Amino acid sequence: MTAPTKPPYGDAADSASERAPGEPLHSPVIDWFDEHARDLPWRRPEAGAWGVMVSEFMLQQTPVNRVLPVYEQWLARWPRPADLAAEAPGEAVRAWGRLGYPRRALRLHGAAVAITERHGGDVPADHAQLLALPGIGEYTAAAVASFAYGQRHAVLDTNVRRVFARAVTGTQYPPNATTAAERRLARALLPEDATTAARWAAASMELGALVCTAKNESCHRCPIAAHCAWRLAGKPAHDGPPRRAQTYAGTDRQVRGRLLAVLREAHGPVPQTALDRVWHEPVQRARALDGLVADGLVEPLPGGLYRLPLT
């Protein structure tokens, strides 16, 4: 195995004086974004911070084309956090539909309640206050502060991590989980100006989504192909831990989805017999239902009845 090529922008762990700046990347990527960015509703000024927050919850592990119709319906029904907070959490689960990972709906409802109670119904601009909201992690707090309020934060989603891995560190894929080195690199590459940094965050994310994709990357369309360490090294194949492939068919996730679909479509409590019909294997079905109850997505009632949560 040949020794790895030194990344053209330095080691993210180097001192600030030794790190090469990210300026060669900023202008090409931002200019490309200005020309090619998708017109998405959460990027429009009228979306506001709440619209940005809703989109960030929905877009986690879910493609844009699936999110768009649910997002539009959600904002039409709950245009402000207080509107969602006034509803039962089960209504959030119902409206979530088939986006998957429905605990996100409960977390978004919990965040709406906290915003209403602590911040007068306005999504806070302060990064620390965003982080203090239930269901808000490092990524979502940085994304909302950056995209909604134009602040300077490193926003590291899967697409951005892949762009940085290839363009800067010369590897095909980033690690399976975000590392401290990736965070240091992202901070080192941030433009100093807050407005430019926020634009850079959105632009690098879009580049990963549309051009520097996980498969079939389009280097001929990439505005920084001439600077890309991975391309310049001949695109060496990934030699790290195996990439995790997501499966769905036959998993507990699929069973949970079918059980929730019955409850979403019902107008009242559902008997156990109705749930039993959605999956043939009783042990897996019971495990999936128990998991939904434990996660707060389903509320058991006396008499073998179940419903979406009211509290």
Side-chain angles (χ1 to χ4, degrees):
M1 183 181 298
T2 59
T5 303
K6 179 71 173 179
Y9 298 99
D11 187 332
D14 290 346
S15 67
S17 61
E18 296 172 333
R19 279 196 301 254
E23 279 79 0
L25 304 180
H26 297 154
S27 292
V29 173
I30 292 173
D31 290 346
W32 171 88
F33 183 66
D34 289 342
E35 183 176 355
H36 297 284
R38 291 168 290 181
D39 179 19
L40 300 174
W42 45 87
R43 289 178 176 164
R44 300 169 191 162
E46 60 268 24
W50 174 237
V52 171
M53 178 176 284
V54 170
S55 75
E56 289 300 334
F57 271 81
M58 291 185 173
L59 287 165
Q60 294 168 21
Q61 299 178 287
T62 308
V64 166
N65 64 331
R66 291 183 57 199
V67 166
L68 280 169
V70 180
Y71 173 89
E72 298 280 13
Q73 294 164 11
W74 191 284
L75 268 295
R77 180 174 178 180
W78 298 309
R80 288 180 53 81
D83 300 317
L84 176 59
E87 297 262 18
E91 287 305 302
V93 177
R94 192 189 311 277
W96 199 256
R98 296 186 177 275
L99 283 183
Y101 302 99
R103 278 179 289 183
R104 293 179 293 169
L106 289 182
R107 290 169 182 158
L108 184 51
H109 183 275
V113 171
I115 291 167
T116 303
E117 294 176 348
R118 304 176 194 172
H119 304 288
D122 295 321
V123 176
D126 181 76
H127 182 263
Q129 291 180 334
L130 286 166
L131 264 178
L133 294 172
I136 301 288
E138 175 187 354
Y139 165 78
T140 305
V144 173
S146 178
F147 301 149
Y149 293 114
Q151 297 177 15
R152 184 178 182 270
H153 294 282
V155 183
L156 273 175
D157 81 335
T158 301
N159 290 313
V160 176
R161 293 174 61 225
R162 186 170 56 252
V163 169
F164 291 175
R166 292 175 179 173
V168 182
T169 64
T171 56
Q172 185 178 15
Y173 297 117
N176 284 332
T178 306
T179 65
E182 287 182 284
R183 295 186 180 95
R184 289 194 297 270
L185 174 60
R187 290 193 295 268
L189 292 174
L190 269 179
E192 290 298 324
D193 173 68
T195 300
T196 307
R199 197 70 176 163
W200 161 253
S204 54
M205 187 176 296
E206 189 80 332
L207 185 67
L210 299 183
V211 175
C212 193
T213 56
K215 298 179 180 179
N216 304 316
E217 65 280 349
S218 301
C219 295
H220 64 284
R221 296 194 292 122
C222 180
I224 55 172
H227 301 282
C228 178
W230 183 57
R231 190 189 70 83
L232 293 173
K235 295 186 176 181
H238 176 69
D239 64 355
R243 306 298 296 171
R244 294 179 299 191
Q246 289 188 339
T247 57
Y248 183 73
T251 63
D252 285 5
R253 278 188 58 218
Q254 183 181 26
V255 184
R256 285 163 61 101
R258 292 192 177 183
L259 293 170
L260 275 181
V262 173
L263 293 164
R264 282 198 309 268
E265 294 163 6
H267 297 289
V270 171
Q272 177 77 56
T273 53
L275 298 176
D276 289 344
R277 289 195 290 268
V278 307
W279 197 255
H280 63 282
E281 210 289 304
V283 174
Q284 187 179 25
R285 186 179 65 236
R287 183 173 65 242
L289 182 58
D290 288 345
L292 290 171
V293 172
D295 289 341
L297 290 161
V298 172
E299 184 178 339
L301 300 172
L305 300 174
Y306 295 87
R307 69 183 178 193
L308 296 177
L310 294 182
T311 58

